Amino acid sequence: MIMNDYSDLIRFAIDKLHFSYAPYSRYHVAAALLAKDGRVFYGVNIENAAFSPTICAERTAVFKAVSEGVREFEAIAIVAGEGEYLEKCDFRPDTLPSYATPCGTCRQVMREFCDPKTFEVVLARSPEDYKVYKLEQILPDSFGPEFLI
Ligand code: THU
């Protein structure tokens, strides 16, 4: 099986981790979304004092792309780490302690625009250490636009 090399996409995401605004959870997340036209859209989690307006990194990335007219995507790389750990290495980690994994709401938002059979979700600890899932593997029997349109 040929597996895509996602090391660059992961490196881009790690590079954006320091933009994450997470003063409440201190859990910083960054996502790099690769569009079919080759462009990369970044997102970070942005928390809020009222808690519920918080948005995840993955949705930030998707919404940034869609709001710029881009709706076709290949893959998303996601990285995350705790504030204390990231501050110690100045947000330049060699390896993150765990694989970030997208929440259910973000999986559903990806499902709106991405083909579940081909779109790849990359959960990374470093550019060399990552797991790749098809969207349908992490959101089986999913509900999507074709049910309505
Ligand atoms: N978070 C993400 O950015 N992506 C996910 O898929 C999981 C959770 C953020 C939201 C919140 O700012 C923090 O992580 C803790 O839940």
Side-chain angles (χ1 to χ4, degrees):
M1 190 177 90
I2 300 168
M3 208 175 90
N4 287 323
D5 178 358
Y6 284 116
S7 49
D8 280 347
L9 199 62
I10 294 163
R11 233 173 256 118
F12 291 147
I14 292 172
D15 222 48
K16 304 294 173 196
L17 262 178
H18 69 287
F19 287 139
S20 154
Y21 177 72
Y24 308 109
S25 73
R26 294 181 56 76
Y27 185 70
H28 299 268
V29 189
L33 177 66
L34 176 63
K36 285 201 171 155
D37 66 5
R39 291 163 72 186
V40 177
F41 294 85
Y42 305 103
V44 293
N45 56 332
I46 304 168
E47 299 187 345
N48 190 281
F51 287 17
S52 66
T54 292
I55 187 163
C56 296
E58 299 89 323
R59 267 176 294 151
T60 305
V62 173
F63 294 159
K64 280 175 70 181
V66 173
S67 62
E68 292 192 30
V70 178
R71 294 183 187 168
E72 294 189 349
F73 307 106
E74 298 260 337
I76 191 167
I78 310 163
V79 294
E82 306 232 326
E84 206 179 326
Y85 179 86
L86 289 169
E87 274 153 28
K88 274 192 200 135
C89 62
D90 204 19
F91 282 81
R92 280 188 272 262
D94 288 330
T95 302
L96 291 156
S98 57
Y99 297 102
T101 187
C103 78
T105 303
C106 288
R107 292 174 198 209
Q108 184 63 35
V109 167
M110 292 176 205
R111 173 66 173 84
E112 187 68 22
F113 299 102
C114 308
D115 179 347
K117 291 198 183 310
T118 59
F119 183 76
E120 295 196 311
V121 182
V122 182
L123 314 184
R125 291 183 60 204
S126 77
E128 295 78 35
D129 179 0
Y130 57 90
K131 301 194 281 195
V132 181
Y133 294 98
K134 299 286 188 214
L135 181 56
E136 72 173 0
Q137 291 178 280
I138 60 167
L139 193 68
D141 294 332
S142 61
F143 183 77
E146 69 277 12
F147 285 77
L148 301 176
I149 298 170

